[in-house]
Amino acid sequence: ETGVTQTPRHLVMGMTNKKSLKCEQHLGHNAMYWYKQSAKKPLELMFVYSLEERVENNSVPSRFSPECPNSSHLFLHLHTLQPEDSALYLCASSQANSFSGNTIYFGEGSWLTVV
Amino acid sequence: QKEVEQNSGPLSVPEGAIASLNCTYSDRGSQSFFWYRQYSGKSPELIMFIYSNGDKEDGRFTAQLNKASQYVSLLIRDSQPSDSATYLCAVRAGNNRKLIWGLGTSLAVNP
């Protein structure tokens, strides 16, 4: 139990489907992140929310749409994805501006397969 | 040159030995350094972080930082088969700067 909970753990979707990934953190943190992890690539930061404001969007295609309704919840809305979007999607949280240098804690991840 | 570089491995050590994992980074302004462990099919979990030059110990794990040479290493003493995993190095230039990740080193501890 990491204090960051992601659902669903596994998702298979067609290219025309719309689905959402959900993340909830119970650590009292004020920053939340979406990362993508693909084979043979370093972790890719997708989005960062700090105090519920999006502070970073790393050239992610518009078929990925994040939403952060409050400091404990984060969503990633998925629409018309491509097979190359199949990956492990990791939610993480941290306490921004903390002494520990924004140490981030990951959820267990959502395995996404686009068919 | 990659920003954070790790030997992909696999690094194979016998049970009870010391495993040494290395990470080099290119940004001389980097200030905080993190080691994460990732078991196959699981998410990364934090092992430890280090800011100051020298060694930092936590149980069987020791992180070593040398800012002049721009490397950080992780030593695992008395390696156990349960330590078999991929170890990710991450580096941040400042408190609000993005974490830069290495590709990870795969460690296999053989009984």
Side-chain angles (χ1 to χ4, degrees):
Chain A
E1 177 59 50
T2 66
V4 181
T5 304
Q6 287 187 243
T7 55
R9 297 293 313 283
H10 299 270
L11 177 62
V12 178
M13 59 186 288
M15 289 189 282
T16 58
N17 290 159
K18 285 184 183 181
K19 297 283 184 184
S20 297
L21 306 181
K22 179 184 174 183
C23 177
E24 183 175 358
Q25 60 97 0
H26 308 276
L27 300 171
H29 290 163
N30 57 17
M32 296 187 77
Y33 310 76
W34 280 115
Y35 277 90
K36 176 183 178 183
Q37 189 173 37
S38 308
K40 310 292 185 189
K41 287 187 175 182
L43 277 166
E44 299 174 57
L45 179 63
M46 300 175 73
F47 302 104
V48 181
Y49 279 83
S50 180
L51 298 172
E52 299 157 40
E53 273 193 48
R54 191 191 307 182
V55 297
E56 193 149 350
N57 174 353
N58 285 328
S59 303
V60 179
S62 58
R63 57 186 183 267
F64 295 92
S65 174
E67 179 189 359
C68 185
N70 55 61
S71 60
S72 300
H73 293 86
L74 185 65
F75 296 89
L76 188 63
H77 303 301
L78 314 170
H79 177 49
T80 59
L81 295 191
Q82 303 299 308
E84 61 264 29
D85 296 323
S86 300
L88 176 65
Y89 289 84
L90 292 161
C91 176
S93 70
S94 73
Q95 186 62 27
N97 300 319
S98 72
F99 176 75
S100 62
N102 280 352
T103 302
I104 67 169
Y105 297 88
F106 289 95
E108 293 187 347
S110 295
W111 287 96
L112 173 66
T113 303
V114 182
V115 296
Chain B
Q1 181 190 4
K2 292 179 187 172
E3 294 181 82
V4 176
E5 202 147 355
Q6 297 181 256
N7 188 326
S8 62
L11 173 66
S12 185
V13 301
E15 184 174 355
I18 296 176
S20 177
L21 305 158
N22 298 314
C23 172
T24 58
Y25 58 94
S26 59
D27 184 352
R28 214 168 251 291
S30 299
Q31 296 183 13
S32 49
F33 307 85
F34 303 82
W35 282 101
Y36 285 79
R37 176 176 63 200
Q38 187 172 23
Y39 291 114
S40 179
K42 302 291 186 181
S43 63
E45 56 180 323
L46 179 71
I47 298 175
M48 60 195 309
F49 54 84
I50 186 169
Y51 304 99
S52 305
N53 273 329
D55 295 0
K56 179 181 178 183
E57 189 174 315
D58 184 0
R60 296 186 296 112
F61 298 96
T62 299
Q64 299 177 317
L65 176 60
N66 184 323
K67 288 186 178 181
S69 301
Q70 294 176 242
Y71 80 79
V72 55
S73 60
L74 180 70
L75 301 179
I76 307 175
R77 288 183 300 282
D78 188 24
S79 295
Q80 302 297 309
S82 58
D83 295 325
S84 299
T86 295
Y87 289 80
L88 302 172
C89 172
V91 175
R92 192 191 304 275
N95 265 355
N96 292 320
R97 300 290 295 275
K98 188 168 63 175
L99 267 180
I100 307 298
W101 295 85
L103 275 169
T105 298
S106 174
L107 171 67
V109 180
N110 305 308

